[in-house]
Amino acid sequence: MGADAPPKIPKVVIVTEENRSDSPVAPSDALDLANYTLASPVEIAHHLRSIAQQGHMVTVFSNKGRTFILTRILGVDAQNGTLTLDWGAEPGVNEQFLASERNVFVCSPDGVKTQFVTGQPRRIELDGRPAFEVDLPEQVIKLQRREFFRIQTPVANPVICRILDYPQHTLDLPLFDISLGGLSFWLPSPSTPGFDVGQVYYDCSLDLKPLGVLQVRLEVRHRLPVQRRNGQDALRIGCAFQQLPTAMENLIQRYVGQLERERRALMP
C-alpha cells in the first residue's frame, strides 16, 4: 500500500438502505462522490461546527486503518484553519494517533454520513486539559442519502433483537449485522409470518453488552432469501431504525467500534 493510499478497513463497508447485500459496496461504485463533496472552507467549517454543537461521536481511523479512536469535535477555528478534538481515554491509542500522518474521520450526524481526511494531529492544552488539534480538511464528503458503515455481529455470542410487539408472542432474533442506519437479523424459519416490507415494529430491544439495552423502533426495508452454510434455506430481514435519538446513535457507534477493535485483535 502506498503512502497516499486510503486505509483499508476490512469487514466495515458502506451500504445503502436501498442496496444492502453481503458484498462490500465502495463509495465510488455506489455514487459520484463529487456531488457530495464540500470544498468551500466556509461550508466545511459550518458543517463541522454543527457536528461539534450536537456532540456527535466521531471515529478516526489512523495508521493506515490499523488503529482507531472515538472522539468528539470540541471546536472549529475557521480563521486559523484548525479543528480541536477531545483527548482519548487510552494513552497508547492517543500516542498512535499523534504519530499517524493520515487520518480518516467518519461520523453520521442526523443520519447523514460525513467523512474527511486530515494530516498528523498535534497535542495542545485546552482549558487546562490535553486535546488534539488538526488542520481543517480541504474536503468533506457529506452523503445526503442514508449510507452507513455496517459490521457483522458475533456468531458465537450473538446480539439478540427482541420483538416485544410481535403479534403471536415475543420473538428473539439473532442479529447478522448492525450500523447506524439499522440492522438485519435471521428469522427462525423462512415461513415465519410477518416482517413484510414497510411493516413497523414499535417495541423492540437490543442488548449491546456491556453498553446497555436500547429500546428501538424498526421498519422492515428488505427480505433476503439465502442458503446458510449448513445448506438450509433462511431469510434475512433488513430493518431501518426510526427516530433514533442522538444518545442511542452514540452508543451504537461505540458498539460498532468495539466490535471492530475485537475483530482486529484476532487478526494475525
Side-chain angles (χ1 to χ4, degrees):
M1 182 185 297
D4 296 328
K8 292 184 179 180
I9 309 167
K11 296 288 187 178
V12 183
V13 299
I14 298 177
V15 296
T16 68
E17 291 176 353
E18 295 85 2
N19 181 22
R20 291 174 58 98
S21 71
D22 290 333
S23 302
V25 180
S28 58
D29 296 333
L31 44 99
D32 182 3
L33 289 183
N35 296 329
Y36 302 89
T37 300
L38 304 180
S40 162
V42 174
E43 288 183 321
I44 290 173
H46 176 77
H47 182 55
L48 297 183
R49 193 174 289 118
S50 174
I51 294 174
Q53 291 171 348
Q54 295 178 51
H56 290 286
M57 295 293 294
V58 179
T59 304
V60 188
F61 295 95
S62 56
N63 296 303
K64 298 182 179 180
R66 291 191 291 268
T67 59
F68 72 93
I69 186 171
L70 289 175
T71 184
R72 285 186 174 88
I73 298 174
L74 300 179
V76 180
D77 188 338
Q79 184 174 357
N80 294 315
T82 59
L83 189 67
T84 306
L85 306 166
D86 197 13
W87 194 251
E90 301 181 30
V93 176
N94 291 338
E95 294 302 319
Q96 290 173 330
F97 182 36
L98 287 170
S100 178
E101 297 180 355
R102 186 180 188 278
N103 304 284
V104 179
F105 291 66
V106 178
C107 63
S108 296
D110 300 322
V112 178
K113 180 178 175 293
T114 294
Q115 181 171 309
F116 58 92
V117 177
T118 73
Q120 190 166 354
R122 303 171 290 274
R123 173 175 173 156
I124 63 170
E125 294 294 321
L126 182 67
D127 299 329
R129 300 179 59 184
F132 299 110
E133 181 184 80
V134 295
D135 294 335
L136 279 177
E138 296 181 359
Q139 295 181 333
V140 171
I141 297 173
K142 179 185 175 184
L143 296 177
Q144 302 296 334
R145 292 158 56 183
R146 287 184 172 267
E147 306 203 356
F148 304 91
F149 284 119
R150 64 169 177 166
I151 190 167
Q152 291 184 13
T153 50
V155 176
N157 185 25
V159 177
I160 299 298
C161 177
R162 173 164 290 182
I163 312 294
L164 297 167
D165 58 348
Y166 187 67
Q168 283 77 14
H169 51 78
T170 297
L171 203 57
D172 289 348
L173 304 169
L175 259 59
F176 174 76
D177 63 19
I178 188 170
S179 75
L180 280 176
L183 51 80
S184 67
F185 47 68
W186 301 103
L187 289 187
S189 165
S191 60
T192 300
F195 300 99
D196 298 319
V197 173
Q199 190 167 4
V200 177
Y201 293 93
Y202 294 89
D203 191 4
C204 309
S205 67
L206 290 173
D207 189 359
L208 300 183
K209 300 177 182 178
L211 301 180
V213 179
L214 306 186
Q215 303 299 323
V216 297
R217 179 188 302 179
L218 298 174
E219 179 184 351
V220 177
R221 290 296 182 86
H222 73 268
R223 297 165 59 91
L224 180 65
V226 296
Q227 188 174 72
R228 307 189 74 167
R229 292 181 178 179
N230 58 10
Q232 294 181 345
D233 292 333
L235 188 63
R236 202 167 76 225
I237 302 297
C239 298
F241 294 123
Q242 285 197 339
Q243 301 175 354
L244 198 64
T246 299
M248 288 191 184
E249 285 186 351
N250 290 341
L251 282 175
I252 292 173
Q253 187 161 349
R254 286 177 58 193
Y255 180 70
V256 169
Q258 174 183 306
L259 290 183
E260 177 64 4
R261 182 166 57 250
E262 292 173 353
R263 188 192 65 80
R264 289 180 183 278
L266 297 175
M267 293 176 63

